[in-house]
Structures are given as structure tokens and as C-alpha cells.
Amino acid sequence: MKTTEITVGPDRIRLACDVTGEGPALLLVHGFPLDRSLWRHQVDALAGWRRIAPDLRGMGASDVPGGGYSMAAYATDLAGVLDHFGVDRAVLCGLSMGGYIAFEFARRWPDRLAGLILMDTRAEADSPDGRRGRDAMIAKVRAQGVASVADDLIPKLLGPEALGRPEIVGRVRGMLEGTLLDGMVGALEAMRDRPDSSALLPALAAVPVQVIVGEEDRLTPPADAERMAAAIPGATLARIPGAGHLAPLERPAATTEVVGRFLARV
Ligand code: MLT
């Protein structure tokens, strides 16, 4: 695997990116507040595909601008990643916030999608309560630092089994605590203000779509995934037993297998 640093977009943001393999492109987009290492198993295992896993702006080893965070900005960065690697069309796989960004990408550049994997995510915008929760979290990290939200967030991100595995908890805590304040606040604001993508779902039938959800996901539970899959004609749904919200990290082999099966029929 090669890690490269690339510069994308009108504001010349530098993104850290793992790239490996030859073949059609698979673009792996992590969630909040995580980084590209979420996809380690999938990047290592999915031979026959050119696996591209960037750190989003404001997270991981990518630039952390003081402002300019929105679903539109993240999606434009992804288009810049594809341009950089000379990729016209890709299968886009987004987890949670990565899924929100995938919806924005699909709205803007439907012709650049060869397929879509929506993992532990939802199409709806935040509810009024959800938006208040974002504001409370922004206030807390501003006052007490990013690490102050780890103990609240980790039990929501991981399923019961993963919570008992120190190496998994440690990896999530490491990603979370490695996020700088501006990147975390920017992502929270972008998620709070994101548009509702429910009306887009029927149009996604133009490409193959796989929905994946951890059976123990509390943030975007299986019932939500079922509703989302049902609204996309032709979409298939897979549940990952024993996984919470972070299926690719908690159940890497099972998640990779589902992704691999989907890629084989794209
Ligand atoms: C994520 O995993 O990206 C976040 O939990 C999404 C969210 O907070 O809505």
C-alpha cells in the first residue's frame, strides 16, 4: 500500500490518501470522527480493484482548514481525488458521514458512479433534536477539547462485543483524539446543516447499490437501513452480525466479504 499526499479542489486542500491495487476504482470514504485506517482490512484484501482511501479534510493526516466544511466541500474533494488519479468512474463506498457525502456526490456527479455502497448511514437530515445535539457537542469540544466527547461517543459507535476488545476501542479512541478541533467542529456543522437526501434515493437505481448495516448499530439501526434500501429500486441489503456502527473495523472479514461479493457483480 502506498500513502500519498495529494492537493485537490479550488482551495488547494492537501489530503492523505492510501492507494493500492490495479483495476476499476473503489473509493472508500470514512465517517466521523475517524480516518482512512477504518478501511485497513478492505484496502488490504479487495484485490482486483484500485482501492483509494483518503482522509477527509479536517480529519486524519489531511489539512485542517479553519473553515469551509460542508457536504459540498467534502464531495468536491472526492471528485478532486478521482481527478488526481485519472479515474473517471468509481464505486463509492461511504460509511455514515461518508454516506452523507456519497449522497452529495451522487447529486452532483451521478455519471461518475459505477456503484454505491451505503454503510451504516442514513438519507434523512438531522432532526431538530439532532441539530441541538450537534450544537451541544460543538460547545463541549470548544470548551473542553476533542477528547472530552470520547466517553460519550465510543459506546454509541461500537457494538457490545467490540466494546469489550481493547484494541478496537483503542483504535477508535486514537482516531477520535487525533482529530483537531477545527476539523471536528467543521464536520459537526456540516452534518448538522446537511440536506435531506431521501428524495434522491429512487434515482440511485441507475447504479448498483449495496446497503450494509451492523446488526448492533445504534446510531443508524437496521430498521433505518431496511427503509433506505427499500426506497432504492434494485438495492440489496446485508446485515453484519456482531457489528455496531463501525462494521468494517468491528467485523472486518465479514464486511470485506459482502463488499467483495457486491464488487464482483458491478
Ligand atoms: C459517523 O459515524 O460518521 C457519525 O456518527 C455520523 C453522525 O453523527 O451522524
Side-chain angles (χ1 to χ4, degrees):
M1 183 185 28
K2 202 167 122 217
T3 300
T4 50
E5 201 176 74
I6 66 172
T7 302
V8 299
D11 47 357
R12 311 294 297 154
I13 292 287
R14 278 176 312 133
L15 302 179
C17 218
D18 287 340
V19 191
T20 194
E22 297 295 328
L26 171 67
L27 181 60
L28 297 151
V29 186
H30 65 78
F32 166 89
L34 307 170
D35 64 42
R36 68 192 192 282
S37 70
L38 177 77
W39 303 112
R40 195 176 290 161
H41 190 277
Q42 293 72 40
V43 166
D44 285 348
L46 290 165
W49 286 76
R50 189 175 187 197
R51 288 91 77 194
I52 304 174
D55 281 339
L56 294 169
R57 62 167 65 203
M59 290 189 247
S62 289
D63 274 353
V64 184
Y69 297 88
S70 63
M71 291 305 145
Y74 293 119
T76 303
D77 288 348
L78 294 184
V81 170
L82 296 185
D83 291 344
H84 176 90
F85 292 109
V87 172
D88 188 26
R89 294 176 82 227
V91 173
L92 206 167
C93 171
L95 178 129
S96 197
M97 177 177 145
Y100 310 158
I101 300 167
F103 291 130
E104 188 63 35
F105 189 96
R107 246 189 305 274
R108 288 166 180 257
W109 298 287
D111 296 344
R112 299 194 76 171
L113 286 178
L116 194 55
I117 303 171
L118 299 168
M119 205 181 282
D120 295 297
T121 192
R122 62 157 55 91
E124 294 85 9
D126 278 2
S127 65
D129 254 7
R131 282 198 280 273
R132 277 190 287 277
R134 304 284 190 202
D135 287 335
M137 194 164 165
I138 290 168
K140 185 164 181 178
V141 295
R142 281 201 194 285
Q144 299 171 39
V146 296
S148 68
V149 293
D151 291 340
D152 283 345
L153 208 49
I154 291 172
K156 293 180 187 149
L157 291 172
L158 294 174
E161 213 177 305
L163 279 172
R165 291 163 60 198
E167 84 280 8
I168 301 277
V169 175
R171 276 184 64 190
V172 176
R173 189 177 287 277
M175 288 189 268
L176 188 154
E177 293 184 357
T179 308
L180 297 181
L181 180 66
D182 283 338
M184 192 174 275
V185 169
L188 286 164
E189 289 173 346
M191 290 193 287
R192 178 195 65 195
D193 299 338
R194 76 186 187 279
D196 193 292
S197 295
S198 308
L200 176 73
L201 297 180
L204 297 179
V207 291
V209 178
Q210 173 75 59
V211 178
I212 300 177
V213 67
E215 272 186 352
E216 314 291 337
D217 187 343
R218 291 169 54 200
L219 287 177
T220 48
D224 289 9
E226 276 167 24
R227 216 177 38 247
M228 182 168 68
I232 308 170
T236 47
L237 169 69
R239 293 162 170 258
I240 307 291
H245 189 60
L246 303 185
L249 183 65
E250 295 176 64
R251 288 276 173 232
T255 305
T256 299
E257 198 194 314
V258 173
V259 172
R261 256 189 280 134
F262 173 71
L263 294 177
R265 66 182 174 83
V266 166

